[in-house]
Amino acid sequence: MEWSYRSAEELSAALRAGALSSMELTEEAIARIERDDKAINAICVPDFDRARDAARRADEALARGEDRPLLGIPVTVKESYNIAGLPTTWGMPRFENYVPTEDAVQVARVRAAGAVVLGKTNVPLMLKDWQSFNEIYGTTGNPWDLGRTPGGSSGGSAAALAAGFGALSLGSDLAGSLRVPAHFCGVYAHKPSFGLVAARGMVPPPAPALPSEGDLAVVGPMARTARDLALLLDVMAGPDPLTLGVAFDVALPPARHQRLGDFRVLVLEEHPLLPTGAAVRAAVNRVAEALAADGARVERHSPLLPDPTEAATLYAQLMVSNVAASFPAERYEQLRAAAAALGADDHSRDAAWLRGAVFSHREWIEANNRREQHRHGWRQLFTEFDAVVCPITPTPAFPHDHNPDAREQRIDIDGVAYPYGDQMIWPGVATMPGLPATAIPAGRSPEGLPVGVQLIGPMFEDRTPLRLAELLEQKIGGFEEPRR
């Protein structure tokens, strides 16, 4: 029997029952990677010898009757996480030989839970693309169509899951880096509430792995089922033991409902700044129809929704101010001069980005205060609704485009070209206010490509969108093996 596409939950039950060993499971995963990954290129840093050692120890623990959450389960880890003894490059050639000596806190947690780490998955340069390619490790293809992107920046992780290379993976998300790859590859991912999951050790080289949390970005789980997402989130969730963890334990509230028909859902199909392609609209409507058919309350509009145009601008400003803070001084001064030259009446999106890049501390505080107003608006909305269903990006996976000038890149939405960077609009709906969002498979495009949607829930009520994802999986189906 082949186990590669079984869920982590099924594998755990089989391991506990003695139906197979972790060593058998690990060897099957390694054989599959060695056979299939030459074409896909998802696993950029294999760690097979240590994986075999971990599997051997897991089998010994199982024989002693131990029962840890991920005991004996093969997993993969995004390249951007520090793993002691393996390179962490973030795709930057100058750090090709940078090797940390300590595991990231989340790698340590999955190891403590008994997981078998198969290796690291590919990423774009500095994690700044919805494609996964770099000069060190090359290009990762989408298992559904190798000529298309698997997404980014957790594209290697999504491709690995779709290809059957391990049951779970660790990723991260700032501009959809968990959700976009899940959408493009037909798997599941969960962007946790901001601050729920400690990120120490998910840091670009050669920065030290300090217990500091940057703005907007989170780390989170990827899987092939909704229940597996919840399983891995339970392992990952919790504050850093060096800081808030000294005093606090995590205690997520239960999901608001257990039945699909009890959910109150706001469905958003269009954004005022960007059209939604037909294939994605069809997926959103498929989910909406499934909810309505089971008796859920489904609405298409609400006056409680915080202004999406203002939210998109605020998201861009907060994100670019965070990114630009690490730019070299010379580059930062160039941006400052360009921003100073803008006309006072220039309220274009490009101008907003440029001004955001060089925010003063006062300006950032003002922007953060506006974010808090949006968060309050979302709290009010979630008194009337339990979740929001909306797109992740406007299209399914697009063909590889490695143009080094992002300003020249375009995304094709039903035959019309739009700026490549506009794809960040839908991920930002959840990212800017720090809300949890679960990406789920929701159908196929006319070309047979996966199409996903995101389920956005109330802040720190992550179990609500995860439960909704599980119920929808039962209703409309979920992951399918790629067909090329």
Side-chain angles (χ1 to χ4, degrees):
M1 175 183 293
E2 189 174 83
W3 297 91
S4 295
Y5 279 110
R6 299 296 185 93
S7 69
E9 188 177 36
E10 291 174 307
L11 295 176
S12 290
L15 288 165
R16 288 194 299 269
L20 81 163
S21 68
S22 179
M23 184 60 73
E24 291 171 327
L25 195 55
T26 300
E27 290 292 357
E28 180 180 301
I30 291 171
R32 191 177 190 91
I33 293 167
E34 291 178 337
R35 185 190 73 201
D36 295 343
D37 201 39
K38 292 180 179 65
I40 298 168
N41 193 34
I43 309 298
C44 61
V45 184
D47 197 20
F48 296 157
D49 288 343
R50 292 198 297 186
R52 291 183 173 104
D53 289 342
R56 190 175 299 109
R57 292 193 299 272
D59 285 332
E60 292 169 354
L62 287 161
R64 292 192 299 268
E66 293 187 25
D67 189 16
R68 286 176 271 160
L70 306 180
L71 189 55
I73 305 298
V75 306
T76 59
V77 175
K78 187 175 181 176
E79 199 271 356
S80 50
Y81 285 80
N82 286 348
I83 296 182
L86 298 182
T88 296
T89 71
W90 288 44
M92 295 184 283
R94 68 185 182 278
F95 295 116
E96 186 171 3
N97 298 316
Y98 178 79
V99 178
T101 58
E102 183 180 8
D103 286 346
V105 66
Q106 294 304 333
V107 174
R109 284 179 177 173
V110 298
R111 287 197 198 277
V116 174
V117 177
L118 295 168
K120 297 181 116 185
T121 59
N122 203 20
V123 296
L125 177 66
M126 284 295 293
L127 315 188
K128 293 180 180 178
D129 204 339
W130 295 291
Q131 305 176 77
S132 293
F133 69 97
N134 58 76
E135 292 182 21
I136 303 172
Y137 301 120
T139 300
T140 299
N142 190 316
W144 286 84
D145 180 346
L146 295 176
R148 295 176 184 266
T149 174
S153 61
S154 307
S157 287
L161 288 166
F165 304 161
L168 304 166
S169 196
L170 302 185
S172 65
D173 193 305
L174 170 62
S177 288
L178 283 161
R179 293 162 286 165
V180 173
H183 159 47
F184 285 174
C185 292
V187 300
Y188 289 79
H190 181 71
K191 186 201 86 65
S193 296
F194 182 76
L196 177 63
V197 180
R200 176 164 47 91
M202 216 293 294
V203 60
L210 300 175
S212 61
E213 303 295 332
D215 195 19
L216 298 169
V218 299
V219 298
M222 306 182 78
R224 285 190 295 269
T225 73
R227 287 176 64 88
D228 279 0
L229 273 187
L231 172 69
L232 184 50
L233 180 66
D234 283 345
V235 171
M236 299 179 73
D240 193 309
L242 299 183
T243 54
L244 297 177
V246 173
F248 303 126
D249 290 325
V250 66
L252 287 175
R256 290 188 175 187
H257 307 292
Q258 293 301 315
R259 293 177 57 255
L260 202 60
D262 293 334
F263 277 85
R264 303 163 300 166
V265 180
L266 176 63
V267 175
L268 304 178
E269 183 180 341
E270 296 286 352
H271 195 284
L273 297 179
L274 187 71
T276 304
V280 174
R281 286 201 310 274
V284 171
N285 287 317
R286 184 180 184 220
V287 170
E289 290 163 7
L291 286 162
D294 250 38
R297 175 188 153 201
V298 176
E299 303 286 347
R300 297 283 183 159
H301 304 281
S302 172
L304 296 175
L305 181 70
D307 179 59
T309 299
E310 182 186 30
T313 300
L314 185 56
Y315 169 52
Q317 291 175 327
L318 288 167
M319 184 171 69
V320 74
S321 69
N322 187 46
V323 171
S326 62
F327 284 0
E330 181 180 356
R331 173 62 176 150
Y332 190 81
E333 288 305 318
Q334 291 172 347
L335 293 173
R336 190 194 299 273
L342 290 170
D345 59 347
D346 187 346
H347 301 295
S348 66
R349 295 183 63 213
D350 286 346
W353 277 61
L354 189 54
R355 291 189 181 104
V358 293
F359 266 173
S360 67
H361 184 60
R362 177 187 177 90
E363 288 168 330
W364 188 91
I365 292 294
E366 291 173 349
N368 189 52
N369 288 339
R370 293 200 303 276
R371 169 167 49 189
E372 290 300 333
Q373 293 168 2
H374 275 256
R375 283 177 172 157
H376 184 63
W378 280 102
R379 283 192 288 270
Q380 292 177 308
L381 182 140
F382 283 122
T383 64
E384 296 293 328
F385 297 95
D386 304 305
V388 172
V389 175
C390 64
I392 297 170
T393 69
T395 70
F398 54 87
H400 297 295
D401 178 3
H402 296 176
N403 188 327
D405 188 349
R407 294 170 298 181
E408 295 181 0
Q409 290 177 295
R410 295 291 181 268
I411 184 70
D412 184 305
I413 305 176
D414 293 344
V416 180
Y418 292 86
Y420 186 79
D422 284 2
Q423 294 175 89
M424 68 180 283
I425 285 173
W426 278 115
V429 172
T431 299
M432 187 276 287
L435 301 173
T438 306
I440 68 169
R444 299 285 174 262
S445 73
E447 298 81 17
L449 297 168
V451 182
V453 303
Q454 59 181 330
L455 316 175
I456 301 174
M459 195 165 186
F460 293 118
E461 293 190 47
D462 293 57
R463 296 199 193 283
T464 291
L466 285 167
R467 177 58 178 166
L468 181 56
E470 180 186 348
L471 294 169
L472 285 167
E473 184 178 11
Q474 297 167 6
K475 181 75 173 179
I476 66 173
F479 172 79
E480 297 177 18
E481 293 184 32
R483 298 185 297 272
R484 293 204 304 270

